[in-house]
Amino acid sequence: MRPLIAHIDLDALRQNYRLACDCAPQSRSVAVVKADGYGHGALACARALEVHAPAFAVASLEEALVLRHGGIEAPIVLLEGIFSADELAAVDAYRLWMAVHSRWQLDALLAFTPDAPIPVWLKVDSGMHRLGFTPDEADRTWAMLREAPQAGELHLMSHLATADARHSEHYARQLACVHDLARRLGAPLSLANSPATLAHPDAHAAFNRPGVMLYGSDPLEKGNAVSASLAPVMTLCSAVIALRDIDPDEVVGYGGRFRTDRPTRIAVVAAGYGDGYDRHAADGTPVLVNGQRAPLAGKVSMDMLTVDVTDLDGVDIGSEVVLWGRATNGAVLSVDEVARHCDTISYTLLTGVLPRVPRRYHDSLRQPAPAP
């Protein structure tokens, strides 16, 4: 069997969720499990958190149905609402909560007859300029929803564009806009994403929406003492499958990007861009070989990558290689550090791990852990 496995530590997931709650004890923390739980397996993650989280959040009806069909009974928020009016029947049947961000969604809801009023999260565009009503439109729309028998409990929501920055005037403008609107409407608010949960108590409200932080990634531009305590949930782990001793002034990999400047020992690892490991990883991108840091040497191939292990002792066929996460000896390589070497962010690495990489779930509270 190919040795590449994504190990998912559900105890670490719960630890990170508790941290999100501790950051904002006066708020309720909705666990965001969109994009298949940021690549970790939405159903397995929801099952691990179902006794803790008051609600889950996903991007689409299809994602919500994976949770419902898997036995998750907690409220599920559709963060982008419906994509067509005919989805409202399923929203009603499966007791989902929905965002309303556009006039067409509002009109569809008001033309629908649900079995029970549908809880609505009215989205206001406070400065992100993707989805949402303007503040003036939100005033009128809130009034319409409050009188509509189709709408159940109402919440106001918005999304912060620069909460990851240490100092941002745009953040301050968004915050003032949303707080002013919430006060005018007397509306319970959902505003804080992961960075705001970690670093901006002034954004904490009725419901926070922690996402990537639940999976152990630090979303802050400059981390703080709280984000430093996040535990990695995914360990992407493989093994050495070949070793090559190469003379100086030889090239390794496609295009000859890496050229040896000394006698060099190269370890070939079973992982590549066909698994979701980023092809843009630069020479020097760190991996852990037997818990020791070693640099990537050469371009990532579809099924393999090459690492310079010249300075390491004890490397052999079958030696453990951690591409990110926690090694057997306890050493940690953060997915955030790897992402910087790939000129990307942790979100793309985590959600990019492809289906051919098996997930193995580790859960001290349930043995064996549930598979998605």
Side-chain angles (χ1 to χ4, degrees):
M1 173 181 269
R2 193 161 180 259
L4 182 63
I5 296 172
H7 294 277
I8 311 298
D9 183 348
L10 297 176
D11 294 322
L13 177 72
R14 281 189 289 264
Q15 175 184 326
N16 295 334
Y17 180 79
R18 287 192 293 269
L19 178 65
C21 295
D22 290 343
C23 286
Q26 303 307 312
S27 304
R28 305 181 77 193
S29 292
V30 175
V32 181
V33 294
K34 63 180 180 175
D36 196 27
Y38 290 63
H40 294 69
L43 181 55
C45 291
R47 285 173 173 167
L49 294 175
E50 63 183 330
V51 300
H52 307 284
F56 295 96
V58 297
S60 67
L61 175 62
E62 293 85 354
E63 291 183 338
L65 295 186
V66 169
L67 302 187
R68 281 286 185 260
H69 293 154
I72 301 300
E73 297 182 355
I76 301 171
V77 186
L78 301 178
L79 292 173
E80 296 175 40
I82 55 171
F83 294 91
S84 62
D86 59 9
E87 292 185 341
L88 281 166
V91 171
D92 182 31
Y94 289 98
R95 310 176 318 283
L96 305 178
W97 300 0
M98 62 176 283
V100 170
H101 61 71
S102 298
R103 179 69 198 210
W104 76 264
Q105 290 179 326
L106 175 66
D107 291 343
L109 176 62
L110 297 181
F112 181 67
T113 304
D115 290 334
I118 296 172
V120 171
W121 287 34
L122 178 64
K123 187 158 193 176
V124 60
D125 178 9
S126 60
M128 184 76 169
H129 300 320
R130 293 189 314 191
L131 301 177
F133 294 90
T134 68
D136 287 343
E137 292 170 334
D139 274 305
R140 297 190 295 272
T141 306
W142 183 270
M144 294 174 66
L145 287 167
R146 192 173 51 194
E147 299 301 320
Q150 296 89 345
E153 185 176 358
L154 300 182
H155 279 76
L156 185 70
M157 69 180 299
S158 192
H159 196 65
L160 296 165
T162 60
D164 57 330
R166 181 166 290 186
H167 303 291
S168 169
E169 293 182 2
H170 188 73
Y171 167 82
R173 289 194 295 270
Q174 280 196 268
L175 189 73
C177 171
V178 174
H179 279 172
D180 179 64
L181 180 60
R183 281 192 295 269
R184 281 204 316 271
L185 299 179
L189 178 63
S190 175
L191 181 60
N193 50 11
S194 284
T197 297
L198 287 164
H200 295 289
D202 51 1
H204 299 167
F207 279 107
N208 292 345
R209 305 189 305 273
V212 78
M213 68 169 290
L214 301 182
Y215 308 97
S217 172
D218 184 348
L220 298 175
E221 186 178 84
K222 293 186 178 180
N224 59 23
V226 181
S227 67
S229 65
L230 292 167
V233 175
M234 179 189 291
T235 293
L236 188 61
C237 183
S238 190
V240 173
I241 60 171
L243 289 162
R244 303 297 300 271
D245 292 306
I246 300 175
D247 292 333
D249 202 31
E250 295 286 348
V251 300
V252 177
Y254 285 117
R257 183 182 72 185
F258 180 82
R259 183 176 294 272
T260 59
D261 59 5
R262 59 175 178 166
T264 302
R265 190 162 220 221
I266 294 292
V268 181
V269 180
Y273 63 78
D275 304 296
Y277 191 87
D278 199 321
R279 186 177 179 273
H280 298 97
D283 290 338
T285 301
V287 303
L288 299 178
V289 182
N290 291 338
Q292 307 165 86
R293 291 173 72 97
L296 187 76
K299 290 183 179 179
V300 175
S301 302
M302 180 179 286
D303 310 303
M304 292 171 280
L305 55 83
T306 44
V307 178
D308 184 348
V309 295
T310 309
D311 297 325
L312 304 186
D313 294 325
V315 179
D316 206 343
I317 304 301
S319 289
E320 175 191 75
V321 180
V322 169
L323 303 169
W324 61 72
R326 189 182 302 277
T328 300
N329 71 351
V332 173
L333 174 61
S334 79
V335 67
D336 304 294
E337 181 179 357
V338 177
R340 288 191 290 272
H341 284 269
C342 301
D343 193 26
T344 188
I345 56 177
S346 64
Y347 302 70
T348 64
L349 297 186
L350 294 172
T351 60
V353 177
L354 294 171
R356 81 165 178 173
V357 181
R359 273 64 166 175
R360 296 287 182 266
Y361 294 93
H362 306 272
D363 188 345
S364 66
L365 300 184
R366 189 180 301 183
Q367 298 294 338

